[in-house]
Amino acid sequence: MRVHDIRFPTSRTLDGSDAMNPDPDYSAAYVELLTDDGLTGYGLTFTIGRGNDVCVAAIEAMRSYVVGQAVDTVDLGEFARRLTHDSQLRWLGPEKGVMHLAAAAVINAVWDLTARRAGLPLWRLLSAYTPDQTVDLIDWRYLTDALTPAAAVDLLTDRVAGRGQRAAEISVAGYPAYTTSAGWLGYDDAKVTRLAQEAVADGFDMIKLKVGADIEDDLRRFRAARSAVGSGVRIAVDANQRWDVPEAIDWMKRLAPLDPYWIEEPTSPDEVLGHAAIRTGLREAGPGGRPIRVATGEHVHNRVMFKQLLQADAIDVVQIDACRVGGVTENLAILLLAAAFGKPVCPHAGGVGLCELVQHFSFYDYVAVSGSLDGRHLEYVDHLHEHFVDPVVIRDGRYLAPERPGFSAQMRSDTLTRYAFPDGPEWRVQ
Amino acid sequence: MRVHDIRFPTSRTLDGSDAMNPDPDYSAAYVELLTDDGLTGYGLTFTIGRGNDVCVAAIEAMRSYVVGQAVDTVDLGEFARRLTHDSQLRWLGPEKGVMHLAAAAVINAVWDLTARRAGLPLWRLLSAYTPDQTVDLIDWRYLTDALTPAAAVDLLTDRVAGRGQRAAEISVAGYPAYTTSAGWLGYDDAKVTRLAQEAVADGFDMIKLKVGADIEDDLRRFRAARSAVGSGVRIAVDANQRWDVPEAIDWMKRLAPLDPYWIEEPTSPDEVLGHAAIRTGLREAGPGGRPIRVATGEHVHNRVMFKQLLQADAIDVVQIDACRVGGVTENLAILLLAAAFGKPVCPHAGGVGLCELVQHFSFYDYVAVSGSLDGRHLEYVDHLHEHFVDPVVIRDGRYLAPERPGFSAQMRSDTLTRYAFPDGPEWRVQ
C-alpha cells in the first residue's frame, strides 16, 4: 500500500468557494494497492487542504488490515466491517471524521481493484450481484429498526427483472446531471451570468448557486442567474451549513420568490431534528405554496445518520458522498435505505475525483436499486478531471456511462509527482 | 507546544474491557504548552491505543493556532471557535472524530494554563465568571433553536446568589461518585463479587457493570453483583453501543428484574431517534413498572448532538466527556443545555485522566449551573491516577474538591518517559 498527500492550489482562483469554505485547496489522500499479479487498485478520500496529512496518517494506521490480504479470496463486506470496527481505532469515531474518511479511501481502493480484476466498471459489477450477495456486503449494525436484511433482499429482488433493460437504456442515454460550476460564492455577478448561460447552452436543465454569507448578495446573484437561464431551468441553492434552524427558514423565505429547487445543507449535517424543522417550515414557502425541498448528505457521516434523516422525514433529497462514509459498502446501505423510504439519491460530487466515483453509484442505483430517474440529478463540477486516467464524460447535460474496468479513481502519474504536498514542484514554487 | 504519544498496556490485565472494547490500551495524546513566563499548560485527549498517533498528527495540524499566542490577552471563546472552524480543517469533521478529540486536548491545555495563571482550580475559576462572561465563551452556532444566549444568561443569573454557599458546602462534603472498577466484562464472577463488596465497604452507594456480549453471562454477573451489594445499592449497566434499537429494549427487559439504575450506551451514540425509542420502550420496564433510565454521552461528538438528544427527550442522564467534544468551552454549552432541559449531568470518567478533568465540570455545575446534586453521580475508575501530579482523591464514595491551580491534567515526567509510544521502556520490552 502506498499513500500520497496530493493537493491542488485551487484557492488561488476561488474555485470551490462557498459560505463556509472561502479558500479551499482541493486535495486527496490517495491510496495505491499493489498486488503480486500486477494489477493495482486506486482509492482516495477528498479534503480541502490542511489536514490532508492527518487523513494520510489515518490510512497508515489501517495498514495491517490491508497489506498481505489475498485479493482473490477477500470478503469485501467483512473487510469493511473489520476495518471500521477495529476495537481500538473505533474509539476515534466511531464511523465518523478522519478515521471514516480514511476507511473510505481504503475500501474504495479495494473495490477498484476488485472491479479491475472482474474486467468491469464498478456499476456493472455491483449490478451483477444477486440480492443476497448485495445484502451480505452491508454492515447492518444500527439499521434493523428501519430496514432489515430480509426487507432489503425483497426490495432488490423486485428490481431484478428490469436490470438488463435499464442498464442498456442508461448506457445509451446517460444519467441526468446538474452543474455547480456557475455558482461559487467567490465569483462576481458577470461571471455567474456568463457561466449560467453557458451551462444551459451545454444542455444542463439545472444549476446550483452557493448562498448563505449575505442575504442581499444572495438575492442579487440569484436574480442574475434566474435572468440568465429563465424560469424553465432548475436553480438549487446551497448554504454549506451556514445557518441555525430559525435563520435557515427566514433566509429561504426571502429567496423563495426566485423559485429555489432545493436548499442544500441549510444547517449542521448533524441536525436530524433541525432538518425536519426546516423542511416543515418551508413546506408551503415556494411559489404557488409549493414546498422548497431540503437536501443534505455530503457531510452526513454514516448510515446511522442517513437512517435517522429518513426516519424523521427530514429531507427530500439524499446526497451521498463517495468518501465521507465508509466507501462503496456503506453507500450500498444508504442507497437501500433511500429506496426503502422512497427518497431520490442525488450524489454530492465535485472536489477531487468525486464525479468519477459517484457516477458509478447513480448508474447502479438506476439499474438495481431504485430503478427510477424521477427527481434524480447527479452533481457535476468541471474541475480537476484532467488529473484522472478515466475522467467523467458529460454530453448534453448527462453523464455518459463509464465503461472502463474499475472505479475510475486512478490519477495520472505526472499529477502524483507535480501536486505532491509539500515537496512537489507545484508547491515548492510558492 | 510539545505533543506526546503516551500509552499504557492495560490490555494485559483486561482492565477497561467491555462488549465493544475487549482489549484497550488506555492512551493519551498529551499536550504541553510552554510559555515565556515559565508556566506550562497541560491537556490531553483519551484514546484506547491504536490511532493515538493519528490524534497526535491532528494536534500538530493545529500548531499555527497555538504557538505564538499571547497568553494574557487570548480570548478563550474566540480561540476555541477559530480552532474548530478553520475553513480547511473543518472539512474533516465538522466538530467530530479525530479533529475534535485533538481540539479538546489543545483547548483543555489552554484552560489549564489559564487556571494556573489565575492561581485557581478550573472549577473555581469558572465559578467566578459572570453570566455574561460565561455565555461569551460558548460557540452558539446551531444551538439557538433550543437555547439562546439571553436565556442562558437568565439561567446562570438565577444561580448567582447561592454560588458562595454551594462552593463552601461542596468543598467540604465532596461530590457523590460511583465506581465502574468492579464491573469490567473481562472479570470473572468471583472478582466482580469481591470488587462490588469492596466498593460498598469503601462508601459507594452505586456501581456499574458492563453488559451486552451475552445475555446469560449478563444475568449471572448481575445476580452476583446484586447479591453482593443488596437492594439498597444502585447498579447501573453499560452496553457500550452493542445493540440495535429493538435488541436493546428486549435485552433490558430481561435484565429489568435485577433493577438496573440506568442503561448506558444501549446503541450507537449517533442515535437521537434510537435513544428516544429505547427510552419509550423501557418507560415501564423496571420493577414496579418504573422506568429504566437511559444514559449516553461519552461518544456523543458535539453540542449539536447533545442538543437533539435533549430536544427529543431521548435520555435521562447526560454523560459529558472532557475530551470527546471541544474541551472546556463546549462542555460549558452542554452543561447549560442540560440545565435548561432539566436533565442531570453525570460525566463519563475513567480512561486516562478523565476523572482528573471532569471532576472540575461537576463541581462547577453544582456551584454555578444546575445548583443541584439530585440524580448526579460522577463516575470513578481507580486506574492510572498514579501517573498524575494532582490525582483525584476519593473518600467515602465522594470526590474531594480539587484545590490546586489548573485542570489537574499534568502527568508525571517519569510517566512521559516510561510510557512513550513506541520507544519508551514499557513498550520496548514487548
Side-chain angles (χ1 to χ4, degrees), chain A residues 66-89:
Chain A
V66 182
V67 175
Q69 293 287 311
V71 180
D72 47 356
T73 58
V74 67
D75 175 329
L76 291 168
E78 188 59 25
F79 175 81
R81 288 187 288 268
R82 281 206 313 269
L83 198 65
T84 52
H85 291 294
D86 173 277
S87 69
Q88 296 186 354
L89 294 178

Side-chain angles (χ1 to χ4, degrees), chain B residues 1 6 17 23 53-54 68-69 71 87 100 110 133 135 140 155 181 187 200 250 255 286 339 348 384 415 429:
Chain B
M1 179 169 79
I6 304 297
S17 57
D23 54 356
D53 50 322
V54 183
Q69 293 287 312
V71 179
S87 68
H100 222 38
V110 173
Q133 286 174 321
V135 165
W140 288 97
L155 189 156
S181 296
Y187 291 177
V200 175
D250 293 346
L255 298 183
H348 170 241
L384 305 175
T415 292
V429 299

Side-chain angles (χ1 to χ4, degrees), chain A residues 1-71:
Chain A
M1 179 169 79
R2 294 183 189 150
V3 192
H4 303 262
D5 185 340
I6 305 297
R7 306 193 195 187
F8 302 96
T10 47
S11 64
R12 295 177 198 164
T13 53
L14 298 183
D15 299 340
S17 58
D18 64 48
M20 294 294 264
N21 312 298
D23 54 356
D25 285 323
Y26 279 8
S27 303
Y30 182 72
V31 175
E32 296 178 297
L33 301 180
L34 286 74
T35 65
D36 290 338
D37 60 8
L39 278 178
T40 301
Y42 305 90
L44 61 84
T45 200
F46 167 58
T47 81
I48 61 173
R50 284 184 292 281
N52 202 49
D53 50 320
V54 184
C55 289
V56 168
I59 293 168
E60 290 290 355
M62 297 171 175
R63 182 171 284 276
S64 67
Y65 283 91
V66 182
V67 175
Q69 293 287 311
V71 180

Side-chain angles (χ1 to χ4, degrees), chain B residues 41-75:
Chain B
Y42 304 91
L44 61 84
T45 200
F46 167 60
T47 81
I48 62 173
R50 285 184 292 282
N52 202 49
D53 50 322
V54 183
C55 289
V56 169
I59 293 168
E60 290 290 355
M62 297 171 174
R63 181 172 286 276
S64 67
Y65 283 91
V66 182
V67 175
Q69 293 287 312
V71 179
D72 46 357
T73 57
V74 67
D75 175 330

Side-chain angles (χ1 to χ4, degrees), chain A residues 222 226 234-237 252 255-263 285-287 290-293:
Chain A
F222 200 162
R226 180 58 78 202
R234 298 180 186 90
I235 303 180
V237 298
M252 285 310 300
L255 298 183
L258 291 160
D259 197 12
Y261 180 61
W262 73 48
I263 170 61
R290 296 195 306 275
I292 298 175
R293 292 172 186 78

Side-chain angles (χ1 to χ4, degrees), chain A residues 104-164:
Chain A
V106 172
I107 291 167
N108 286 342
V110 173
W111 277 97
D112 179 67
L113 184 59
T114 302
R116 285 170 190 273
R117 288 174 57 89
L120 292 171
L122 181 75
W123 70 277
R124 287 194 186 273
L125 174 71
L126 296 175
S127 299
Y129 287 166
T130 67
D132 283 321
Q133 286 174 319
T134 308
V135 165
D136 283 349
L137 290 167
I138 290 170
D139 183 353
W140 288 97
R141 178 166 277 177
Y142 307 136
L143 297 185
T144 60
D145 58 322
L147 182 65
T148 63
V153 167
D154 288 347
L155 189 156
L156 289 164
T157 302
D158 283 348
R159 299 282 180 275
V160 167
R163 280 186 187 178

Side-chain angles (χ1 to χ4, degrees), chain A residues 63 70 87 141 145 161 180 288 303-304 341 358 370 413 420:
Chain A
R63 182 171 284 276
S87 69
R141 178 166 277 177
D145 58 322
T180 304
R303 68 197 179 285
V304 183
F341 282 87
V358 288
S370 75
S413 60

